[in-house]
Amino acid sequence: CRLLKAQAKAKPEKGRGGSNGDRMVLKRLSFASRAITATEGKEIFPCLPPTLEGLNLSGNGVGLEGFRSLAYAVKMGRALALTALNLDKCGLRQDSTELLCTAFAQARA
């Protein structure tokens, strides 16, 4: 989570990288199956960089508490650039789906 926290505190990117002082920007993040649970999700999701375009949580049972943390991060602007979210085999239920849909709608409003 130190990498994500550093990304969260970093200034917006200037360019595409190189030796002129530009920095690398995290665009995609993929977790191995069963790598995170609700406990880790509560630590990781608030640290997501707003530059993140793709998040793969496939195979990770983050549970309702994890989805709540993700929804809160979305509402707080941590997913402004997100265009791809893989939640395959994450235990997504109607209540967690509603949480996420509401969060994305509020973040885009």
Side-chain angles (χ1 to χ4, degrees):
C1 194
R2 281 186 277 170
L3 170 67
L4 294 176
K5 285 181 181 178
Q7 281 283 319
K9 291 178 183 176
K11 295 176 185 172
E13 68 179 301
K14 292 188 219 171
R16 296 194 171 262
S19 60
N20 62 354
D22 293 346
R23 65 179 179 84
M24 293 176 57
V25 176
L26 185 63
K27 298 280 187 176
R28 302 208 184 287
L29 183 59
S30 184
F31 290 94
S33 186
R34 297 186 210 158
I36 61 171
T37 64
T39 303
E40 289 90 10
K42 288 183 348 186
E43 295 292 321
I44 292 168
F45 299 145
C47 300
L48 295 176
T51 57
L52 195 66
E53 296 174 357
L55 178 60
N56 182 358
L57 298 173
S58 179
N60 287 283
V62 296
L64 184 57
E65 287 305 309
F67 285 121
R68 279 191 181 125
S69 297
L70 180 57
Y72 181 75
V74 168
K75 285 183 203 176
M76 299 309 296
R78 306 308 307 170
L80 294 175
L82 197 63
T83 58
L85 178 60
N86 186 341
L87 300 174
D88 187 41
K89 298 179 185 172
C90 283
L92 192 63
R93 301 182 322 205
Q94 183 172 345
D95 51 359
S96 45
T97 302
E98 289 172 1
L99 276 171
L100 290 173
C101 289
T102 301
F104 277 105
Q106 289 175 352
R108 304 279 186 222

